[in-house]
Amino acid sequence: LFICIDHVGLAVADIDEAIKFHTEKFGFRVLHKEVNEEQGVAEAMLGTGTQQPESAQIQLLAPLNENSTIAKWLTRNGGPGMQQLCYRVADIDAVCATLRERGLRLLYPEPKTGTGGARINFVHPKDAGGVLLELTQPPAEAAH
Ligand code: MC0
């Protein structure tokens, strides 16, 4: 079903502070930044110096406002932490159909827009071993 681990998402309060921390302390570099209004997040994708097409990235997610999913998560968790795991898929419609057939709840009836124009959906954490599981299909020009 899955190509690789696309990224692990970390919820943070402040995107700039978190970028500074992860680049200065751990030596990551920033591969991409964007704001996703629909998801209520400012995000940054971080990679290693030897990033390969299928190397997992770290995604920093900061809330845009108090209604953001990430704002709620930070409050409930009592601070920053690991909010999601994301698998890359080639055909998200087919994968969502298969997972639904297997009895798992997908959060959206149809995929929404994620990082870099990817098509995304999520498996409910209660159906994925307590982990919010994102599925992402990168846009055709970015697919490896
Ligand atoms: C909630 N729960 C989680 C969880 N969020 N468990 C593991 N990981 C998480 N991230 C648990 C709660 O502890 C609770 O368990 C139960 O799920 C129901 O929680 P809730 O009170 O209904 O929580 P809500 O209202 O925050 O909703 C949770 C839900 C929401 C997963 C539906 O966070 C959501 O819609 N997430 C998908 C969108 C998203 O996360 N967007 C931000 C990333 P108990 O046992 O207490 O009942 S955007 C992104 O990732 C994009 C940009 C991209 O990568 O392309």
Side-chain angles (χ1 to χ4, degrees), residues 6-7 29-32 43-47 57-59 115:
D6 189 87
H7 63 264
R29 61 195 175 92
V30 178
L31 303 175
H32 178 77
E43 57 163 306
M45 302 301 291
L46 309 183
Q57 298 178 21
I58 298 295
Q59 179 182 53
T115 309

Side-chain angles (χ1 to χ4, degrees), residues 12-72:
V12 303
D14 183 296
I15 196 80
D16 294 322
E17 270 179 32
I19 289 172
K20 190 168 170 0
F21 176 80
H22 286 271
T23 54
E24 288 183 0
K25 304 290 187 198
F26 299 143
F28 281 110
R29 61 195 175 92
V30 178
L31 303 175
H32 178 77
K33 280 172 80 171
E34 75 178 69
V35 167
N36 187 324
E37 298 277 354
E38 184 180 34
Q39 291 291 335
V41 297
E43 57 163 306
M45 302 301 291
L46 309 183
T48 60
T50 57
Q51 197 75 12
Q52 302 294 309
E54 291 181 359
S55 300
Q57 298 178 21
I58 298 295
Q59 179 182 53
L60 303 177
L61 293 161
L64 288 182
N65 54 56
E66 65 195 20
N67 296 322
S68 165
T69 310
I70 299 301
K72 287 185 206 156

Side-chain angles (χ1 to χ4, degrees), residues 1-2 89-101 106 135:
L1 279 184
F2 307 134
V89 302
D91 182 345
I92 195 167
D93 297 311
V95 172
C96 288
T98 300
L99 294 177
R100 283 194 184 99
E101 276 168 25
L106 279 294
L135 306 171

Side-chain angles (χ1 to χ4, degrees), residues 109-125:
E110 296 294 333
K112 295 194 184 210
T113 303
T115 309
R119 299 177 70 221
I120 62 168
N121 208 333
F122 294 84
V123 180
H124 194 284

